[in-house]
């Protein structure tokens, strides 16, 4: 089939590369406008564009995919099917209608669970035992189309968002190819795929920077999940409330939860142990054991390196920085 790939972020790269090696014809990449690295910058903000340029695939980056000009562009490509993944814009009916069979979308959850832009984050944060990918035949409703293909996988007990997202992006390749085969045989009018159960829909909206602050009034289990789920964005952070000094912002890189063996009178956020190269903090339920962290403006340190270099002691308090009122 004649395909147009639509994607921007790294989640779409394995699918794009697989389609370029398949028997299908990928005629163009449609992506979001993003700056190219300059000077000493090395990390691209658009890995999909990098793949397309390397493979000499035409690249189009409209500001909005739903303007009459963008719809005309899509129509001119005469695609049988749009392949949408990690693109960053919602396609309205006119854009979807620009391809003979419409579009399919690879989504990083087992729909109808976690519709939205942060499904992998939410699956880890919720403590789900399993997750997966779904390929849907697209409709104007966000992530609401019939399901064409699914792949399921367990979530590792210490798996972080980037680690799980990478696995899911690779798993998605087979699901996308299965969906394309299904549509290639479709008559264009018969019902196709499995309708989503609207009663099971949950949302997975994008997080804001402030969502990353650790709240020790929550359980250690939930905070450990947050640390795994919020890498790299929005990150999980706290402040060391140093007496007589400015609070020091600490980004928590790795942490686990342990039960508190004995009852403690220490309030949530209190450092209760610094032995054995670990920074252990009391929460409302259990202990958060930090094994690596990043002081503001510094590199990531093991907890042992941080404790040796900064002299944090048992009894220190972690929590939100006091709000300074402006005069």
């Amino acid at each position: 089939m004649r395909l147009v790939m639509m994607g921007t972020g790294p989640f779409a790269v394995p699918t794009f590369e697989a389609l370029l090696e398949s028997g299908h014809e990928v005629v163009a990449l449609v992506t979001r406008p993003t700056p190219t690295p300059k000077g000493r910058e090395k990390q691209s903000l658009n890995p999909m564009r990098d793949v397309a340029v390397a493979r000499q695939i035409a690249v189009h980056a409209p500001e909005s995919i739903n303007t009459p000009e963008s719809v005309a562009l899509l129509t001119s490509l005469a695609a049988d099917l749009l392949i949408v993944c990690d693109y960053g814009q919602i396609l309205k009916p006119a854009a979807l209608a620009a391809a003979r069979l419409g579009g399919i979308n690879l989504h990083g959850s087992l729909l109808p669970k976690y519709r939205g832009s942060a499904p992998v984050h939410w699956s880890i944060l919720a403590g789900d035992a399993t997750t997966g990918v779904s390929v849907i035949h697209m409709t104007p409703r966000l992530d609401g189309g019939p399901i064409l293909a699914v792949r399921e996988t367990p979530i590792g007990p210490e798996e972080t968002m980037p680690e799980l997202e990478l696995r899911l992006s690779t798993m998605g390749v087979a699901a996308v190819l299965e969906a394309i085969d299904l549509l290639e045989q479709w008559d264009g009018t018969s019902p196709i795929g499995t309708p989503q159960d609207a009663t099971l829909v949950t949302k997975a909206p994008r997080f804001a920077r402030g969502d990353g602050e650790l709240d020790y009034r929550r359980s250690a289990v939930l905070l450990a999940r947050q640390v795994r789920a919020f890498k790299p964005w929005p990150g999980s952070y706290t402040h060391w409330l140093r007496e007589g000094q400015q609070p020091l912002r600490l980004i928590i890189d790795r942490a686990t939860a342990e039960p508190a063996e004995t009852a403690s009178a220490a309030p949530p956020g209190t450092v209760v142990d610094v032995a054995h190269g670990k920074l252990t903090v009391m929460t409302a339920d259990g202990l958060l054991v930090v094994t690596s962290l990043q002081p503001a403006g510094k590199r990531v340190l093991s907890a042992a390196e941080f404790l040796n270099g900064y002299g944090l002691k048992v009894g220190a308090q972690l929590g939100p920085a006091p709000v300074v009122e402006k005069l």
Side-chain angles (χ1 to χ4, degrees), residues 212-216 226-227 234-242 246-255 269 271 279-281 288 290 292-303 305-307 309-313 316-321:
E213 184 153 26
L214 293 174
D215 184 349
Y216 299 102
Q226 175 184 324
V227 171
S236 294
Y237 65 92
T238 190
H239 293 85
W240 175 14
L241 306 178
R242 301 177 294 179
Q246 289 292 322
L248 178 62
R249 180 184 171 97
L250 305 172
I251 298 173
I252 306 304
D253 181 62
R254 293 272 181 176
V271 175
L279 171 58
T280 303
V281 188
L288 185 70
V290 178
S292 62
L293 66 164
Q294 183 177 7
K298 305 295 182 181
R299 65 177 178 86
V300 175
L301 304 173
S302 69
E305 290 175 315
F306 173 77
L307 292 169
Y310 284 79
L312 183 146
K313 305 294 184 183
Q317 192 70 32
L318 305 183

Side-chain angles (χ1 to χ4, degrees), residues 50-307:
D50 296 343
V51 173
V53 170
R55 298 293 295 269
Q56 297 183 320
I57 301 295
V59 178
H60 305 282
E63 289 287 342
S64 170
I65 194 60
N66 296 303
T67 63
E69 295 79 10
S70 297
V71 172
L73 168 65
L74 283 180
T75 303
S76 72
L77 296 174
D80 294 309
L81 186 64
L82 308 175
I83 312 296
V84 184
C85 178
D86 203 1
Y87 175 48
Q89 294 190 33
I90 298 173
L91 276 67
K92 293 182 178 179
L96 286 173
R100 180 174 64 89
L101 297 173
I104 62 174
N105 174 247
L106 173 63
H107 187 73
S109 77
L110 298 174
L111 291 170
K113 205 171 188 180
Y114 305 130
R115 290 184 183 177
S117 58
V120 184
H121 301 72
W122 281 97
S123 62
I124 295 175
L125 189 62
D128 292 347
T130 61
T131 188
V133 295
S134 306
V135 179
I136 62 171
H137 196 210
M138 295 175 69
T139 66
R141 179 175 295 178
L142 176 64
D143 301 330
I147 299 171
L148 304 178
V150 172
R151 295 294 187 276
E152 189 170 347
T153 184
I155 300 175
E158 301 301 328
E159 199 163 21
T160 65
M161 197 289 295
E163 293 165 347
L164 179 57
E165 186 176 59
L166 179 60
R167 285 206 301 116
L168 293 177
S169 70
T170 303
M171 288 177 55
V173 170
V176 168
L177 293 174
E178 178 184 330
I180 292 173
D181 289 345
L182 188 63
L183 286 170
E184 200 166 17
Q185 303 170 40
W186 185 41
D187 62 13
T189 57
S190 302
I192 189 169
T194 303
Q196 296 186 42
D197 186 342
T199 66
L200 300 178
V201 170
T202 59
K203 302 293 187 180
R206 189 182 303 277
F207 292 96
R209 182 182 296 275
D211 294 328
E213 184 153 26
L214 293 174
D215 184 349
Y216 299 102
R217 296 171 297 180
R218 298 174 177 172
S219 71
V221 169
L222 180 56
L223 294 179
R225 286 184 203 154
Q226 175 184 324
V227 171
R228 291 164 46 220
F230 284 12
K231 294 181 64 137
W233 174 264
S236 294
Y237 65 92
T238 190
H239 293 85
W240 175 14
L241 306 178
R242 301 177 294 179
E243 189 172 348
Q245 299 183 66
Q246 289 292 322
L248 178 62
R249 180 184 171 97
L250 305 172
I251 298 173
I252 306 304
D253 181 62
R254 293 272 181 176
T256 58
E258 292 184 2
E261 296 182 358
T262 58
S264 173
T270 304
V271 175
V272 294
D273 194 0
V274 293
H276 311 296
K278 297 177 181 179
L279 171 58
T280 303
V281 188
M282 179 63 65
T283 74
D285 182 9
L287 303 172
L288 185 70
V289 182
V290 178
T291 53
S292 62
L293 66 164
Q294 183 177 7
K298 305 295 182 181
R299 65 177 178 86
V300 175
L301 304 173
S302 69
E305 290 175 315
F306 173 77
L307 292 169

